[in-house]
Amino acid sequence: MTPKVIFFDINETLLDMQAIKTGLAAVLNGDETLVDLWFANLLHHSLVDVASGQFHDFIDIGAAVLTMVAHSKGITVNEATAKDTIKQHITRLPAHDDVIPTLKVLQSAGLTLVALSNSSKAGLDAQLEYANIRPYFSHVLSVESVRTYKPHAAVYHWACQQANVKNKDAMMVAAHGWDVSGAKATGMQTTFVARPGKMTYPLGLVPNHTIESLNELTNIITA
């Protein structure tokens, strides 16, 4: 079934995270491998908020987690420095090379494109503007509005309501197995983007499509 609306995750799916890896490594004794650990823990602790009925800004969680990752390696980073470092780099991420050509084709085909992110609304707007992809999206949705994080079902149901589309007529596109699994559990169609180093969660719901490059999405949608 061809979707009427396509929802895109932003960080890693559309935006290249290398710049933030380099930036955060600067406060982690130059160890870029710790940045992957930081991002995994950022996602983990966002779900701790969900499970415990709390909600903190994504950057605030990121800063807290950065101090924790640093501490685990005997590095001292205070939360103010951590937050400033994240803010400096998270809104200056370029789009992957396959992003703009794909968005152009999908938009020209008459599809409604929506950005859906765990980032704050202000941060998300800044990210899309910097990457020159804001004009492709009819809606820019931050979980800040529902005060819970993906992959909670409430996020996907709310997002589809905002775009005035039934879940079955919408597709979630993400480079995170937990994201596509969460979306599929609510009845959405899903496409997993296998960015380098990424794979689906083996115990998660199987995505409708798995692609190596975002360019392949146009073949799926416009076939």
Side-chain angles (χ1 to χ4, degrees):
M1 184 184 300
T2 301
K4 298 176 181 177
V5 179
I6 305 178
F7 292 84
F8 288 91
D9 173 59
I10 303 304
N11 293 314
E12 292 192 304
T13 303
L14 299 188
L15 303 185
D16 186 345
M17 299 285 283
Q18 184 56 48
I20 197 168
K21 288 185 178 182
T22 303
L24 295 190
V27 298
L28 294 170
N29 288 353
D31 190 348
E32 286 193 9
T33 64
L34 294 181
V35 181
D36 288 333
L37 178 61
W38 165 77
F39 193 63
N41 274 274
L42 168 57
L43 299 174
H44 170 79
H45 284 87
S46 70
L47 294 182
V48 170
D49 262 20
V50 172
S52 58
Q54 301 184 80
F55 184 82
H56 295 93
D57 182 272
F58 207 47
I59 287 183
D60 288 340
I61 299 174
V65 168
L66 184 57
T67 66
M68 294 167 67
V69 170
H71 178 77
S72 72
K73 300 300 179 181
I75 304 167
T76 300
V77 179
N78 64 52
E79 285 195 40
T81 299
K83 190 171 182 177
D84 288 344
T85 303
I86 295 169
K87 279 186 171 182
Q88 179 183 350
H89 297 285
I90 195 70
T91 56
R92 292 178 172 84
L93 303 176
H96 290 291
D97 291 342
D98 55 4
V99 171
I100 290 178
T102 300
L103 297 180
K104 281 183 178 178
V105 171
L106 295 176
Q107 187 182 62
S108 296
L111 290 154
T112 298
L113 309 182
V114 179
L116 176 60
S117 177
N118 279 343
S119 295
S120 68
K121 182 62 166 64
L124 179 55
D125 285 338
Q127 286 183 305
L128 299 181
E129 291 291 345
Y130 182 85
N132 294 318
I133 57 176
R134 175 61 185 87
Y136 298 103
F137 298 106
S138 61
H139 298 77
V140 175
L141 304 178
S142 163
V143 300
E144 188 175 63
S145 296
V146 286
R147 297 182 66 79
T148 193
Y149 287 99
K150 294 187 295 176
H152 195 288
V155 175
Y156 304 104
H157 287 305
W158 166 78
C160 287
Q161 290 169 2
Q162 295 302 302
N164 194 30
V165 66
K166 294 180 180 179
N167 290 44
K168 66 182 180 64
D169 295 324
M171 175 181 285
M172 184 73 218
V173 178
H176 304 116
W178 51 265
D179 203 350
V180 294
S181 185
K184 190 165 186 182
T186 69
M188 295 177 72
Q189 301 175 51
T190 56
T191 294
F192 175 72
V193 186
R195 295 296 187 195
K198 299 297 177 184
M199 65 176 288
T200 55
Y201 175 46
L203 302 181
L205 299 177
V206 179
N208 297 90
H209 310 280
T210 296
I211 57 179
E212 297 292 328
S213 168
L214 207 63
N215 295 321
E216 298 172 51
L217 185 61
T218 60
N219 296 329
I220 293 170
I221 302 301
T222 61

